[in-house]
């Protein structure tokens, strides 16, 4: 089943069911107006939505209309919680190696996770609005899940049962703002502007064999200004699966239906060529990684961060070659008026 939220002038939009090929949609108003309603009563409402989804895919839905991703809000425009992990250890290792930092001793047993802003989540085609280019604007392509209720202390296996839907993410980072915030020892706020999500959220069964062991075994495609820069495999190098991430979040509190949990930047390790030089054939899902690759190869980064007018496209295709979630397609634009935050001197490449 595939679900989306269309813009209707309200804060929370209008829930629609979207066909498997992402060409048609049908309002879900006879069942639910908002996705949060469905998550709150999943056992009762999701079978009704599944019936509508089946009708839509068979061409028998009477009031179907063309689906336009540009009219989408985030599937959950406002969420009770947005917690982003860092499940791809290669990303953490690469960033820390490039700046000569030690790896945490607990890295392989204790996930990194931060609490992001969830009151204003962006649709797939909404602009990335930033006060200044000097802030080090970066995209971060990820996978995320939306949960049902998960009890406190749930095991990874129990937590995995709480996964209701999956989405793609662009977790924008302001790389030159983050180091000064982290130096305060209390996390960051200004360095993480609004996060964007794919046009549709899908139930795990839509992925077929690609959804196994709490991971999405598909290729995440990332294009910057129209040029493909990443074809990263989301499955094999995800050290902590989504059940483990949700369990980590639920260690000391309940996780409520409508919580979003992210994977962190999808990342694959480099390989040595015949000359012993490291190369990254799968590319990168954030610019910070590219700069770290250049530092390790050549001693210094060459690639700059995003500028006003730059675009990013994030998409994932299924085993059948068709887009699963639709694409995130965003442009970086300036915020009007005087910048509210002054960029800090570059002291690192991000939060890890």
């Amino acid at each position: 089943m595939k679900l989306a939220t269309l813009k209707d002038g309200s804060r929370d939009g209008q829930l629609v069911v979207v066909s498997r090929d992402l060409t048609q949609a049908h309002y879900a108003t006879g069942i639910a107006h908002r996705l949060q309603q469905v998550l709150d009563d999943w056992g009762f409402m999701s079978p009704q939505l599944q019936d509508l989804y089946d009708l839509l895919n068979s061409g028998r839905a009477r009031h179907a209309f063309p689906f336009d991703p540009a009219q989408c809000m985030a599937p959950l425009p406002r969420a009770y919680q947005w917690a982003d992990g860092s499940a791809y250890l290669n990303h953490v290792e690469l960033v820390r190696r490039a700046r000569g930092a030690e790896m945490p001793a607990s890295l392989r047993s204790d996930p990194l996770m931060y609490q992001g802003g969830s009151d204003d989540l962006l649709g797939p085609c909404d602009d990335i609005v930033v006060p200044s280019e000097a802030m080090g604007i970066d995209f971060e392509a990820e996978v995320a899940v939306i949960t049902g209720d998960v009890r406190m202390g749930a095991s990874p296996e129990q937590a995995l049962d709480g996964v209701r839907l999956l989405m793609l993410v662009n977790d924008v980072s302001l790389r030159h703002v983050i180091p000064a915030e982290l130096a305060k020892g209390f996390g960051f706020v200004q360095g993480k502007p609004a996060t964007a999500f794919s046009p549709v959220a899908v139930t795990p069964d839509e992925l077929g064999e690609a959804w196994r062991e709490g991971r999405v075994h598909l290729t995440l495609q990332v294009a910057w200004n129209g040029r493909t820069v990443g074809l990263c495999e989301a499955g094999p190098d995800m050290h902590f699966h989504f059940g483990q991430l949700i369990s980590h979040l639920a260690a000391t509190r309940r996780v409520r239906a409508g919580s979003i949990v992210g994977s962190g930047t999808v990342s694959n390790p480099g390989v040595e060529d015949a000359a012993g030089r490291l190369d990254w054939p799968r590319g990168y899902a954030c610019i910070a990684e590219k700069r770290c690759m250049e530092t390790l190869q050549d001693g210094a980064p060459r690639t700059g961060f995003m500028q006003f007018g730059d675009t990013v496209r994030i998409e994932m295709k299924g085993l059948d070659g068709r887009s699963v979630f639709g694409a995130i397609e965003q442009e970086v634009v300036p915020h009007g008026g005087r910048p509210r935050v002054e960029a800090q001197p570059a002291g690192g490449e991000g939060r890890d």
Side-chain angles (χ1 to χ4, degrees):
M1 181 167 60
K2 300 190 177 187
L3 304 173
T5 296
L6 295 186
K7 298 175 181 178
D8 68 353
S10 71
R11 291 178 184 269
D12 298 303
Q14 175 64 59
L15 180 66
V16 296
V17 177
V18 182
S19 62
R20 182 169 287 115
D21 63 5
L22 304 180
T23 63
Q24 298 289 304
H26 194 291
Y27 286 110
T29 46
I31 304 166
H33 291 274
R34 309 284 183 260
L35 179 54
Q36 185 61 50
Q37 292 174 265
V38 181
L39 294 163
D40 287 337
D41 199 2
W42 185 260
F44 179 69
M45 290 186 177
S46 65
Q48 298 177 64
L49 292 172
Q50 182 67 48
D51 289 344
L52 179 55
Y53 182 63
D54 293 339
L55 283 174
L56 188 59
N57 286 319
S58 67
R60 294 182 290 123
R62 294 179 56 191
H63 301 293
F65 56 89
F67 177 62
D68 181 5
Q71 296 304 311
C72 286
M73 305 174 78
L76 269 180
R78 293 188 291 177
Y80 286 115
Q81 181 166 215
W82 159 232
D84 198 16
S86 193
Y88 295 88
L89 298 192
N90 179 70
H91 175 72
V92 185
E93 292 170 348
L94 190 59
V95 169
R96 293 192 177 224
R97 278 182 61 197
R99 67 175 189 241
E102 293 292 325
M103 297 299 296
S106 61
L107 181 67
R108 295 187 175 277
S109 59
D110 191 28
L112 295 172
M113 185 172 286
Y114 84 96
Q115 193 94 37
S118 61
D119 57 321
D120 183 28
L121 303 178
L122 300 180
C125 301
D126 291 344
D127 291 333
I128 301 170
V129 182
V130 182
S132 170
E133 291 177 335
M135 292 179 174
I137 309 161
D138 197 358
F139 52 82
E140 289 193 64
E142 309 182 10
V143 181
V145 298
I146 305 176
T147 77
D149 287 328
V150 178
R151 68 173 181 82
M152 185 172 69
S155 69
E157 293 73 23
Q158 292 167 334
L160 192 57
D161 286 339
V163 172
R164 298 288 180 259
L165 297 160
L166 295 102
M167 306 180 289
L168 300 182
V169 185
N170 181 17
D171 180 39
V172 179
S173 291
L174 303 179
R175 300 296 185 184
H176 294 166
V177 175
I178 289 174
E181 285 198 288
L182 292 182
K184 298 176 183 178
F186 210 57
F188 44 66
V189 174
Q190 294 172 332
K192 300 298 292 188
T195 305
F197 293 86
S198 53
V200 301
V202 311
T203 49
D205 61 287
E206 287 293 320
L207 299 176
E209 295 180 0
W211 173 251
R212 59 184 187 273
E213 300 173 337
R215 300 170 175 87
V216 178
H217 291 264
L218 293 172
T219 303
L220 187 62
Q221 305 177 11
V222 184
W224 180 12
N225 290 334
R227 184 174 71 88
T228 299
V229 297
L231 293 170
C232 301
E233 297 298 333
D237 297 312
M238 187 179 182
H239 182 76
F240 298 105
H241 63 67
F242 277 112
Q244 291 170 299
L245 294 177
I246 299 167
S247 176
H248 177 81
L249 182 61
T252 58
R253 62 188 184 191
R254 295 176 294 183
V255 174
R256 288 307 202 182
S259 294
I260 304 173
V261 180
S263 67
T265 304
V266 176
S267 180
N268 301 137
V271 296
E272 285 191 6
D273 61 20
R277 180 181 171 87
L278 274 175
D279 187 31
W280 286 266
R282 308 305 301 181
Y284 55 93
C286 72
I287 301 170
E289 273 205 13
K290 175 61 172 173
R291 289 168 57 88
C292 291
M293 295 171 186
E294 293 167 344
T295 299
L296 293 173
Q297 286 177 330
D298 305 315
R302 301 185 307 275
T303 302
F305 291 110
M306 300 183 84
Q307 304 294 305
F308 295 143
D310 279 10
T311 61
V312 61
R313 177 185 172 92
I314 300 168
E315 189 175 22
M316 181 176 276
K317 293 185 177 179
L319 299 175
D320 59 1
R322 296 190 296 187
S323 183
V324 178
F325 305 93
I328 296 172
E329 298 186 84
Q330 296 183 277
E331 180 178 350
V332 180
V333 302
H335 182 265
R338 185 175 180 177
R340 292 172 297 171
V341 183
E342 291 300 325
Q344 303 296 325
E349 294 291 3
R351 59 184 171 90
D352 302 311

Short mmCIF file of all heavy atoms in Angstrom, two decimals, residues 41-91:
data_model
loop_
_atom_site.label_atom_id
_atom_site.label_comp_id
_atom_site.label_asym_id
_atom_site.label_seq_id
_atom_site.Cartn_x
_atom_site.Cartn_y
_atom_site.Cartn_z
N ASP A 41 -5.10 4.15 14.62
CA ASP A 41 -6.06 3.04 14.59
C ASP A 41 -5.73 2.12 13.42
O ASP A 41 -6.59 1.80 12.60
CB ASP A 41 -7.48 3.60 14.48
CG ASP A 41 -8.54 2.58 14.91
OD1 ASP A 41 -8.16 1.47 15.32
OD2 ASP A 41 -9.73 2.91 14.81
N TRP A 42 -4.49 1.69 13.36
CA TRP A 42 -3.96 0.95 12.21
C TRP A 42 -4.74 -0.34 11.95
O TRP A 42 -5.06 -0.66 10.79
CB TRP A 42 -2.49 0.65 12.43
CG TRP A 42 -1.82 0.00 11.26
CD1 TRP A 42 -1.54 -1.31 11.09
CD2 TRP A 42 -1.32 0.67 10.09
NE1 TRP A 42 -0.92 -1.53 9.89
CE2 TRP A 42 -0.76 -0.32 9.26
CE3 TRP A 42 -1.29 2.00 9.67
CZ2 TRP A 42 -0.19 -0.02 8.02
CZ3 TRP A 42 -0.72 2.31 8.44
CH2 TRP A 42 -0.18 1.30 7.62
N GLY A 43 -5.02 -1.09 12.98
CA GLY A 43 -5.68 -2.37 12.80
C GLY A 43 -7.05 -2.26 12.15
O GLY A 43 -7.48 -3.18 11.44
N PHE A 44 -7.75 -1.17 12.37
CA PHE A 44 -9.09 -0.98 11.82
C PHE A 44 -9.05 -0.29 10.45
O PHE A 44 -9.77 -0.70 9.52
CB PHE A 44 -9.94 -0.16 12.78
CG PHE A 44 -11.33 0.12 12.29
CD1 PHE A 44 -12.26 -0.89 12.17
CD2 PHE A 44 -11.70 1.41 11.95
CE1 PHE A 44 -13.55 -0.63 11.71
CE2 PHE A 44 -12.98 1.70 11.48
CZ PHE A 44 -13.91 0.66 11.37
N MET A 45 -8.22 0.74 10.32
CA MET A 45 -8.24 1.56 9.10
C MET A 45 -7.37 1.03 7.97
O MET A 45 -7.71 1.17 6.80
CB MET A 45 -7.83 2.99 9.43
CG MET A 45 -8.86 3.75 10.26
SD MET A 45 -8.41 5.48 10.48
CE MET A 45 -9.83 6.07 11.40
N SER A 46 -6.23 0.43 8.29
CA SER A 46 -5.34 0.00 7.21
C SER A 46 -5.96 -1.05 6.29
O SER A 46 -5.74 -1.00 5.07
CB SER A 46 -4.00 -0.48 7.77
OG SER A 46 -4.15 -1.64 8.56
N PRO A 47 -6.77 -2.01 6.79
CA PRO A 47 -7.40 -2.94 5.85
C PRO A 47 -8.37 -2.25 4.88
O PRO A 47 -8.48 -2.64 3.71
CB PRO A 47 -8.15 -3.92 6.77
CG PRO A 47 -7.42 -3.85 8.07
CD PRO A 47 -7.00 -2.42 8.19
N GLN A 48 -9.04 -1.20 5.35
CA GLN A 48 -9.94 -0.45 4.48
C GLN A 48 -9.15 0.29 3.39
O GLN A 48 -9.55 0.32 2.22
CB GLN A 48 -10.76 0.54 5.29
CG GLN A 48 -11.65 -0.10 6.34
CD GLN A 48 -12.37 0.94 7.17
OE1 GLN A 48 -13.19 1.70 6.66
NE2 GLN A 48 -12.07 0.99 8.46
N LEU A 49 -8.03 0.87 3.78
CA LEU A 49 -7.17 1.54 2.80
C LEU A 49 -6.58 0.53 1.82
O LEU A 49 -6.42 0.84 0.63
CB LEU A 49 -6.06 2.30 3.52
CG LEU A 49 -6.49 3.52 4.34
CD1 LEU A 49 -5.33 4.06 5.15
CD2 LEU A 49 -7.06 4.62 3.44
N GLN A 50 -6.25 -0.66 2.31
CA GLN A 50 -5.73 -1.70 1.42
C GLN A 50 -6.77 -2.09 0.37
O GLN A 50 -6.43 -2.28 -0.81
CB GLN A 50 -5.33 -2.93 2.24
CG GLN A 50 -4.73 -4.06 1.42
CD GLN A 50 -3.39 -3.71 0.82
OE1 GLN A 50 -2.50 -3.21 1.52
NE2 GLN A 50 -3.23 -3.97 -0.48
N ASP A 51 -8.03 -2.17 0.76
CA ASP A 51 -9.08 -2.47 -0.20
C ASP A 51 -9.17 -1.39 -1.28
O ASP A 51 -9.31 -1.70 -2.48
CB ASP A 51 -10.43 -2.59 0.52
CG ASP A 51 -10.54 -3.85 1.37
OD1 ASP A 51 -9.72 -4.78 1.18
OD2 ASP A 51 -11.43 -3.90 2.25
N LEU A 52 -9.08 -0.13 -0.85
CA LEU A 52 -9.10 0.97 -1.82
C LEU A 52 -7.87 0.92 -2.73
O LEU A 52 -7.96 1.18 -3.94
CB LEU A 52 -9.17 2.31 -1.07
CG LEU A 52 -9.18 3.59 -1.92
CD1 LEU A 52 -10.31 3.56 -2.95
CD2 LEU A 52 -9.31 4.81 -1.01
N TYR A 53 -6.74 0.58 -2.14
CA TYR A 53 -5.49 0.45 -2.92
C TYR A 53 -5.64 -0.64 -3.99
O TYR A 53 -5.23 -0.45 -5.13
CB TYR A 53 -4.35 0.11 -1.96
CG TYR A 53 -2.98 -0.02 -2.58
CD1 TYR A 53 -2.36 1.07 -3.19
CD2 TYR A 53 -2.29 -1.22 -2.52
CE1 TYR A 53 -1.09 0.96 -3.73
CE2 TYR A 53 -1.02 -1.34 -3.05
CZ TYR A 53 -0.42 -0.25 -3.66
OH TYR A 53 0.84 -0.36 -4.20
N ASP A 54 -6.24 -1.75 -3.62
CA ASP A 54 -6.44 -2.84 -4.58
C ASP A 54 -7.37 -2.40 -5.71
O ASP A 54 -7.12 -2.72 -6.89
CB ASP A 54 -7.00 -4.07 -3.87
CG ASP A 54 -6.02 -4.70 -2.90
OD1 ASP A 54 -4.80 -4.44 -3.04
OD2 ASP A 54 -6.46 -5.42 -1.98
N LEU A 55 -8.42 -1.68 -5.38
CA LEU A 55 -9.32 -1.15 -6.41
C LEU A 55 -8.59 -0.20 -7.35
O LEU A 55 -8.77 -0.25 -8.57
CB LEU A 55 -10.49 -0.42 -5.75
CG LEU A 55 -11.61 -1.26 -5.14
CD1 LEU A 55 -12.60 -0.36 -4.41
CD2 LEU A 55 -12.34 -2.06 -6.22
N LEU A 56 -7.76 0.66 -6.76
CA LEU A 56 -7.02 1.64 -7.57
C LEU A 56 -6.07 0.94 -8.54
O LEU A 56 -6.00 1.29 -9.72
CB LEU A 56 -6.24 2.56 -6.63
CG LEU A 56 -5.55 3.79 -7.22
CD1 LEU A 56 -6.54 4.69 -7.92
CD2 LEU A 56 -4.81 4.55 -6.13
N ASN A 57 -5.37 -0.07 -8.06
CA ASN A 57 -4.41 -0.78 -8.92
C ASN A 57 -5.10 -1.60 -10.01
O ASN A 57 -4.51 -1.85 -11.07
CB ASN A 57 -3.52 -1.68 -8.08
CG ASN A 57 -2.47 -0.90 -7.30
OD1 ASN A 57 -1.87 0.04 -7.81
ND2 ASN A 57 -2.27 -1.27 -6.04
N SER A 58 -6.32 -2.01 -9.75
CA SER A 58 -7.05 -2.79 -10.75
C SER A 58 -7.79 -1.92 -11.75
O SER A 58 -8.40 -2.44 -12.70
CB SER A 58 -8.06 -3.72 -10.05
OG SER A 58 -9.10 -2.96 -9.44
N GLY A 59 -7.75 -0.60 -11.55
CA GLY A 59 -8.44 0.31 -12.46
C GLY A 59 -9.92 0.44 -12.18
O GLY A 59 -10.67 0.98 -13.01
N ARG A 60 -10.39 -0.03 -11.03
CA ARG A 60 -11.82 -0.03 -10.72
C ARG A 60 -12.23 1.06 -9.71
O ARG A 60 -13.39 1.11 -9.31
CB ARG A 60 -12.22 -1.41 -10.19
CG ARG A 60 -12.11 -2.51 -11.23
CD ARG A 60 -12.55 -3.87 -10.70
NE ARG A 60 -11.61 -4.38 -9.70
CZ ARG A 60 -11.95 -4.72 -8.47
NH1 ARG A 60 -13.19 -4.56 -8.05
NH2 ARG A 60 -11.05 -5.21 -7.63
N ALA A 61 -11.28 1.91 -9.30
CA ALA A 61 -11.62 3.00 -8.38
C ALA A 61 -12.34 4.11 -9.16
O ALA A 61 -11.81 4.63 -10.14
CB ALA A 61 -10.36 3.54 -7.71
N ARG A 62 -13.54 4.47 -8.74
CA ARG A 62 -14.41 5.33 -9.55
C ARG A 62 -13.93 6.78 -9.62
O ARG A 62 -14.21 7.48 -10.59
CB ARG A 62 -15.83 5.28 -9.00
CG ARG A 62 -16.50 3.92 -9.14
CD ARG A 62 -17.89 3.95 -8.54
NE ARG A 62 -18.72 5.01 -9.12
CZ ARG A 62 -19.90 5.38 -8.63
NH1 ARG A 62 -20.36 4.81 -7.52
NH2 ARG A 62 -20.61 6.33 -9.22
N HIS A 63 -13.26 7.24 -8.58
CA HIS A 63 -12.93 8.67 -8.54
C HIS A 63 -11.41 8.88 -8.48
O HIS A 63 -10.92 9.80 -7.82
CB HIS A 63 -13.60 9.32 -7.34
CG HIS A 63 -15.09 9.19 -7.35
ND1 HIS A 63 -15.87 9.82 -8.30
CD2 HIS A 63 -15.94 8.49 -6.56
CE1 HIS A 63 -17.15 9.53 -8.08
NE2 HIS A 63 -17.21 8.71 -7.03
N ALA A 64 -10.67 8.06 -9.18
CA ALA A 64 -9.21 8.22 -9.25
C ALA A 64 -8.86 9.46 -10.07
O ALA A 64 -9.62 9.89 -10.94
CB ALA A 64 -8.58 6.98 -9.87
N PHE A 65 -7.70 10.02 -9.78
CA PHE A 65 -7.21 11.18 -10.52
C PHE A 65 -5.69 11.08 -10.65
O PHE A 65 -5.04 10.34 -9.91
CB PHE A 65 -7.61 12.48 -9.81
CG PHE A 65 -7.16 12.57 -8.38
CD1 PHE A 65 -5.92 13.11 -8.05
CD2 PHE A 65 -7.98 12.12 -7.35
CE1 PHE A 65 -5.49 13.20 -6.73
CE2 PHE A 65 -7.57 12.21 -6.02
CZ PHE A 65 -6.33 12.74 -5.71
N PRO A 66 -5.08 11.81 -11.59
CA PRO A 66 -3.63 11.72 -11.78
C PRO A 66 -2.88 12.18 -10.53
O PRO A 66 -3.23 13.19 -9.91
CB PRO A 66 -3.37 12.66 -12.96
CG PRO A 66 -4.66 12.72 -13.69
CD PRO A 66 -5.73 12.63 -12.63
N PHE A 67 -1.85 11.43 -10.18
CA PHE A 67 -1.05 11.75 -9.00
C PHE A 67 0.08 12.69 -9.38
O PHE A 67 0.83 12.44 -10.33
CB PHE A 67 -0.47 10.47 -8.40
CG PHE A 67 0.43 10.70 -7.21
CD1 PHE A 67 -0.06 11.30 -6.06
CD2 PHE A 67 1.77 10.32 -7.25
CE1 PHE A 67 0.77 11.52 -4.96
CE2 PHE A 67 2.60 10.53 -6.16
CZ PHE A 67 2.10 11.14 -5.01
N ASP A 68 0.22 13.80 -8.64
CA ASP A 68 1.24 14.81 -8.90
C ASP A 68 2.11 14.99 -7.66
O ASP A 68 1.68 15.61 -6.68
CB ASP A 68 0.59 16.14 -9.28
CG ASP A 68 1.61 17.23 -9.59
OD1 ASP A 68 2.82 16.93 -9.62
OD2 ASP A 68 1.19 18.37 -9.83
N PRO A 69 3.33 14.45 -7.66
CA PRO A 69 4.20 14.58 -6.48
C PRO A 69 4.45 16.02 -6.06
O PRO A 69 4.69 16.29 -4.87
CB PRO A 69 5.50 13.90 -6.91
CG PRO A 69 5.09 12.97 -8.01
CD PRO A 69 3.97 13.66 -8.72
N ALA A 70 4.40 16.96 -7.01
CA ALA A 70 4.65 18.36 -6.68
C ALA A 70 3.58 18.93 -5.76
O ALA A 70 3.81 19.96 -5.11
CB ALA A 70 4.74 19.19 -7.96
N GLN A 71 2.43 18.27 -5.69
CA GLN A 71 1.35 18.73 -4.82
C GLN A 71 1.38 18.07 -3.45
O GLN A 71 0.49 18.29 -2.63
CB GLN A 71 0.00 18.46 -5.49
CG GLN A 71 -0.22 19.23 -6.76
CD GLN A 71 -0.07 20.73 -6.57
OE1 GLN A 71 -0.66 21.30 -5.64
NE2 GLN A 71 0.70 21.37 -7.43
N CYS A 72 2.43 17.27 -3.20
CA CYS A 72 2.51 16.53 -1.95
C CYS A 72 3.18 17.32 -0.83
O CYS A 72 4.18 18.02 -1.05
CB CYS A 72 3.30 15.23 -2.14
SG CYS A 72 2.41 13.96 -3.06
N MET A 73 2.65 17.17 0.36
CA MET A 73 3.35 17.52 1.58
C MET A 73 4.16 16.30 1.98
O MET A 73 4.16 15.26 1.29
CB MET A 73 2.35 17.89 2.67
CG MET A 73 1.38 18.99 2.26
SD MET A 73 0.08 19.31 3.47
CE MET A 73 0.96 20.28 4.69
N ALA A 74 4.89 16.38 3.08
CA ALA A 74 5.47 15.16 3.64
C ALA A 74 4.31 14.22 3.99
O ALA A 74 3.22 14.69 4.35
CB ALA A 74 6.28 15.48 4.88
N PRO A 75 4.50 12.90 3.87
CA PRO A 75 3.41 11.99 4.25
C PRO A 75 2.84 12.31 5.64
O PRO A 75 1.63 12.25 5.84
CB PRO A 75 4.08 10.61 4.20
CG PRO A 75 5.10 10.76 3.11
CD PRO A 75 5.64 12.16 3.30
N LEU A 76 3.72 12.63 6.58
CA LEU A 76 3.31 13.18 7.88
C LEU A 76 3.85 14.61 7.96
O LEU A 76 5.01 14.83 8.29
CB LEU A 76 3.89 12.36 9.03
CG LEU A 76 3.07 11.19 9.57
CD1 LEU A 76 3.83 10.51 10.71
CD2 LEU A 76 1.70 11.63 10.05
N PRO A 77 3.06 15.62 7.63
CA PRO A 77 3.56 17.00 7.63
C PRO A 77 4.01 17.49 9.01
O PRO A 77 4.88 18.34 9.11
CB PRO A 77 2.37 17.82 7.13
CG PRO A 77 1.52 16.83 6.40
CD PRO A 77 1.69 15.54 7.13
N ARG A 78 3.36 16.96 10.04
CA ARG A 78 3.78 17.20 11.43
C ARG A 78 3.78 15.84 12.12
O ARG A 78 2.80 15.11 12.06
CB ARG A 78 2.80 18.13 12.16
CG ARG A 78 2.78 19.54 11.62
CD ARG A 78 1.94 20.44 12.51
NE ARG A 78 0.50 20.12 12.43
CZ ARG A 78 -0.42 20.74 13.16
NH1 ARG A 78 -0.06 21.66 14.05
NH2 ARG A 78 -1.70 20.41 13.03
N ALA A 79 4.90 15.52 12.76
CA ALA A 79 5.01 14.21 13.40
C ALA A 79 5.24 14.39 14.90
O ALA A 79 5.81 15.39 15.34
CB ALA A 79 6.16 13.42 12.80
N TYR A 80 4.81 13.41 15.67
CA TYR A 80 5.03 13.48 17.11
C TYR A 80 6.51 13.39 17.45
O TYR A 80 6.95 13.90 18.49
CB TYR A 80 4.27 12.35 17.81
CG TYR A 80 2.79 12.60 17.87
CD1 TYR A 80 1.89 11.79 17.19
CD2 TYR A 80 2.28 13.66 18.61
CE1 TYR A 80 0.52 12.02 17.25
CE2 TYR A 80 0.92 13.92 18.67
CZ TYR A 80 0.05 13.09 17.99
OH TYR A 80 -1.31 13.33 18.04
N GLN A 81 7.28 12.77 16.56
CA GLN A 81 8.70 12.59 16.86
C GLN A 81 9.47 12.30 15.57
O GLN A 81 8.99 11.58 14.71
CB GLN A 81 8.86 11.41 17.83
CG GLN A 81 10.29 11.13 18.23
CD GLN A 81 10.36 10.19 19.43
OE1 GLN A 81 11.25 10.33 20.25
NE2 GLN A 81 9.46 9.24 19.53
N TRP A 82 10.66 12.89 15.46
CA TRP A 82 11.59 12.60 14.37
C TRP A 82 12.95 12.36 15.02
O TRP A 82 13.59 13.27 15.55
CB TRP A 82 11.65 13.76 13.38
CG TRP A 82 12.86 13.87 12.50
CD1 TRP A 82 13.63 15.00 12.34
CD2 TRP A 82 13.44 12.89 11.63
NE1 TRP A 82 14.65 14.77 11.43
CE2 TRP A 82 14.55 13.47 10.98
CE3 TRP A 82 13.13 11.55 11.35
CZ2 TRP A 82 15.35 12.78 10.08
CZ3 TRP A 82 13.92 10.87 10.45
CH2 TRP A 82 15.01 11.48 9.82
N ALA A 83 13.35 11.09 15.04
CA ALA A 83 14.62 10.69 15.66
C ALA A 83 15.48 10.05 14.58
O ALA A 83 15.07 9.07 13.94
CB ALA A 83 14.37 9.71 16.79
N ASP A 84 16.65 10.59 14.37
CA ASP A 84 17.51 10.12 13.28
C ASP A 84 18.73 9.41 13.83
O ASP A 84 19.46 9.95 14.68
CB ASP A 84 17.96 11.32 12.43
CG ASP A 84 18.48 10.89 11.08
OD1 ASP A 84 18.23 9.74 10.67
OD2 ASP A 84 19.13 11.71 10.41
N GLY A 85 18.93 8.18 13.38
CA GLY A 85 20.08 7.41 13.81
C GLY A 85 21.28 7.61 12.88
O GLY A 85 21.26 8.45 11.98
N SER A 86 22.30 6.82 13.11
CA SER A 86 23.46 6.80 12.22
C SER A 86 23.88 5.33 12.10
O SER A 86 24.85 4.89 12.71
CB SER A 86 24.60 7.66 12.78
OG SER A 86 25.60 7.87 11.79
N ALA A 87 23.09 4.59 11.33
CA ALA A 87 23.21 3.13 11.28
C ALA A 87 24.31 2.65 10.35
O ALA A 87 24.69 1.48 10.41
CB ALA A 87 21.88 2.52 10.87
N TYR A 88 24.80 3.51 9.48
CA TYR A 88 25.85 3.13 8.53
C TYR A 88 27.20 3.52 9.12
O TYR A 88 27.62 4.68 9.05
CB TYR A 88 25.60 3.80 7.18
CG TYR A 88 24.33 3.31 6.53
CD1 TYR A 88 23.11 3.93 6.80
CD2 TYR A 88 24.33 2.20 5.69
CE1 TYR A 88 21.93 3.47 6.25
CE2 TYR A 88 23.15 1.74 5.11
CZ TYR A 88 21.96 2.37 5.40
OH TYR A 88 20.79 1.91 4.85
N LEU A 89 27.88 2.54 9.69
CA LEU A 89 29.11 2.84 10.41
C LEU A 89 30.20 3.38 9.49
O LEU A 89 31.08 4.12 9.94
CB LEU A 89 29.61 1.59 11.13
CG LEU A 89 28.68 1.02 12.20
CD1 LEU A 89 29.41 -0.03 13.02
CD2 LEU A 89 28.12 2.11 13.11
N ASN A 90 30.13 3.04 8.20
CA ASN A 90 31.13 3.59 7.29
C ASN A 90 31.07 5.11 7.25
O ASN A 90 32.10 5.78 7.17
CB ASN A 90 30.92 3.05 5.88
CG ASN A 90 31.92 3.62 4.89
OD1 ASN A 90 33.11 3.31 4.93
ND2 ASN A 90 31.46 4.48 4.00
N HIS A 91 29.86 5.67 7.35
CA HIS A 91 29.73 7.12 7.35
C HIS A 91 30.43 7.73 8.57
O HIS A 91 31.18 8.70 8.46
CB HIS A 91 28.25 7.51 7.35
CG HIS A 91 27.99 8.98 7.47
ND1 HIS A 91 28.24 9.86 6.45
CD2 HIS A 91 27.54 9.73 8.51
CE1 HIS A 91 27.94 11.09 6.84
NE2 HIS A 91 27.51 11.03 8.09
#
